[in-house]
Amino acid sequence: MPYIKIHSQNFFDNFHTLCQVISPNNPQRLAIVLKDNAYGHGLKEMASLAKECGIISCFVKNIQESLQIVEFFPHISILYPNPLEHSPLFRQCLESPNIYFCISSLEKLQDYPPFSRIELKINTGMNRNGIAYNHLKEAFEVIIKNKLQLIGVFTHNGFGDNFGCEFYAQNATFLEVKKEVLKLCEKHSLPKPRFHSLCSSAGLRANTDCNIPQSLQDDCYRIGIAFYGYLCQEEILSIPLSLKPVASLWAKKISSRNLKKGERVGYGGASTLSRDCVVSTYDIGYGDGLFRLREGMELYTKEGFKILPPASMDCISVESEEEEICVFDDVKKWAEAFHTIPYEILTHLHPYIPKKII
Ligand SMILES: *Cc1c(COP(=O)(O)O)cnc(C)c1O
């Protein structure tokens, strides 16, 4: 069976590096994004490491994910809850005082029973999810009428990776949102909610402006990919930060054979050997969520063994005779080969692949 090694020291090092750059005086402002099985790393495994670092807030994808880690953190926000599905599980969330529901539209706000703890998402220019800025007043009216508990108000700055003014424009819009929220809270005698807006790359660009009063600053940062060891910023923005990939993927040998130069391997004989060598198959394939290596792609294991395309559903052929190989300890090369981002390669890894924390 293939497995994923979770390099705990790399995670701890990333935590310290990110604290130092983003929030040196208050590490608890770093929240971890654990959605999608912690970007393929294993939800519970990463939750336990995050807890060990003293992280107190996290973000997950859905109701099921929140309940799996309910005992790990004092603040768990569900990014995409659906109160109308899975009603017994939704009830369980309602009864857990540390679980909050992120609300992406005015209509959805109506679906929540009294005393639900909510975080209101506001659209500040990414135009994907969130309540329109000019509907804040209506949102507060529903909150009061339905006795909802407003825990947070947030937005998603979608321009952290990109050079240009949109990043700053979104921050400026969110600042206006925060001012309006404080006014509405005062009017309705509600406690100040927490504010947050920035992901990994955006958080690294946050420039805590001392002229902005504390009450209008962000209270936490939603850090995902950087905790797992990657950043995907445009070159011009890249800062010298040594983040370390946390996951490495390992596979075990199924069988070996001696082959001669010129012999062909796999479906359609797509790979032709350029020398006599031993070729072995290993027990990971695209059925396990590893992207399917195709003809013309050149990728090597960590040890430097050539992976021979095409990949099969349950195995890959490699110019190696080792019992075990490391398919990758850094997914950047895979992401490049498939013209995608590390996020996509990582989140595709099937949750049933066992995790070994080392
Ligand atoms: C996924 C996600 C993040 C984390 O983004 P990274 O780029 O991985 O740091 C933050 N906020 C929201 C709303 C997200 O969906």
Side-chain angles (χ1 to χ4, degrees):
M1 192 136 182
Y3 65 96
I4 292 172
K5 269 190 201 169
I6 297 296
H7 301 260
S8 55
Q9 194 55 51
N10 287 2
F11 177 73
F12 298 143
D13 291 349
N14 293 342
F15 175 73
H16 291 298
T17 303
L18 292 164
C19 280
Q20 257 155 33
V21 184
I22 299 175
S23 183
N25 299 325
N26 188 355
Q28 292 199 331
R29 288 195 170 189
L30 294 201
I32 185 167
V33 181
L34 292 170
K35 66 189 181 195
D36 295 271
N37 194 32
Y39 293 43
H41 291 62
L43 178 57
K44 279 203 160 168
E45 288 81 0
M46 294 313 297
S48 70
L49 294 179
K51 187 175 177 201
E52 224 176 300
C53 290
I55 292 175
I56 58 168
S57 299
C58 78
F59 291 81
V60 295
K61 185 191 187 91
N62 52 29
I63 286 172
Q64 290 86 337
E65 283 195 341
S66 75
L67 291 171
Q68 279 186 56
I69 54 159
V70 65
E71 72 277 22
F72 286 83
F73 303 97
H75 308 282
I76 300 172
S77 306
I78 305 174
L79 289 166
Y80 300 103
N82 191 337
L84 306 179
E85 284 172 3
H86 318 292
S87 53
L89 298 182
F90 177 62
R91 291 259 129 232
Q92 244 174 292
C93 290
L94 275 179
E95 285 159 15
S96 309
N98 55 337
I99 295 184
Y100 316 141
F101 305 97
C102 295
I103 311 290
S104 294
S105 72
L106 215 45
E107 302 80 67
K108 286 263 164 65
L109 194 54
Q110 317 278 355
D111 298 338
Y112 287 82
F115 311 112
S116 300
R117 293 160 300 275
I118 59 152
E119 296 210 76
L120 210 52
K121 186 166 193 177
I122 312 297
N123 176 22
T124 55
M126 191 181 177
N127 300 330
R128 193 182 59 168
N129 295 315
I131 291 167
Y133 172 19
N134 54 9
H135 287 162
L136 264 177
K137 230 178 99 198
E138 286 94 320
F140 269 76
E141 278 158 15
V142 179
I143 288 169
I144 296 296
K145 181 164 79 57
N146 295 357
K147 298 193 176 64
L148 304 175
Q149 299 184 56
L150 182 65
I151 302 286
V153 173
F154 73 107
T155 192
H156 192 42
N157 192 317
F159 292 91
D161 286 320
N162 313 99
F163 187 67
C165 61
E166 293 97 336
F167 172 74
Y168 303 99
Q170 267 203 270
N171 284 343
T173 307
F174 191 49
L175 183 60
E176 294 310 309
V177 168
K178 292 190 243 189
K179 287 180 187 165
E180 181 74 22
V181 165
L182 291 188
K183 273 192 216 151
L184 286 164
C185 284
E186 194 169 30
K187 178 176 160 199
H188 295 286
S189 309
L190 293 178
K192 175 194 169 299
R194 63 177 191 171
F195 293 134
H196 43 99
S197 60
L198 306 176
C199 62
S200 300
S201 53
L204 288 164
R205 291 171 75 184
N207 166 13
T208 318
D209 184 342
C210 302
N211 295 319
I212 298 176
Q214 193 57 45
S215 61
L216 289 172
Q217 308 255 1
D218 275 12
D219 298 293
C220 68
Y221 302 92
R222 302 185 306 266
I223 307 295
I225 199 75
F227 270 136
Y228 305 104
Y230 300 91
L231 280 173
C232 305
Q233 300 153 307
E234 279 182 12
E235 195 111 24
I236 188 164
L237 292 171
S238 67
I239 48 172
L241 203 62
S242 69
L243 295 173
K244 302 173 182 171
V246 169
S248 60
L249 177 64
W250 297 75
K252 300 218 170 92
K253 186 159 84 178
I254 301 168
S255 68
S256 289
R257 65 217 70 254
N258 287 301
L259 295 175
K260 297 267 180 251
K261 180 178 170 178
E263 285 196 277
R264 293 160 65 192
V265 178
Y267 284 107
S271 283
T272 305
L273 297 179
S274 57
R275 59 187 174 92
D276 294 359
C277 66
V278 178
V279 171
S280 307
T281 51
Y282 293 86
D283 60 358
I284 188 154
Y286 62 84
D288 304 294
L290 184 67
F291 275 38
R292 180 175 161 273
L293 202 68
R294 301 186 299 271
E295 219 175 325
M297 290 180 161
E298 209 174 302
L299 283 169
Y300 296 83
T301 68
K302 175 181 183 245
E303 301 86 1
F305 303 128
K306 186 163 196 233
I307 306 174
L308 300 170
S312 302
M313 195 182 295
D314 300 304
C315 60
I316 50 174
S317 296
V318 180
E319 287 184 8
S320 152
E321 48 189 318
E322 303 292 316
E323 284 307 313
E324 183 174 283
I325 52 163
C326 177
V327 179
F328 61 70
D329 65 347
D330 181 333
V331 291
K332 277 202 255 3
K333 286 259 160 51
W334 282 74
E336 276 166 30
F338 288 93
H339 307 291
T340 185
I341 47 179
Y343 299 72
E344 198 187 6
I345 308 278
L346 290 168
T347 56
H348 275 242
L349 295 173
H350 205 284
Y352 63 53
I353 301 176
K355 317 293 182 298
K356 291 188 188 172
I357 301 182
I358 58 164

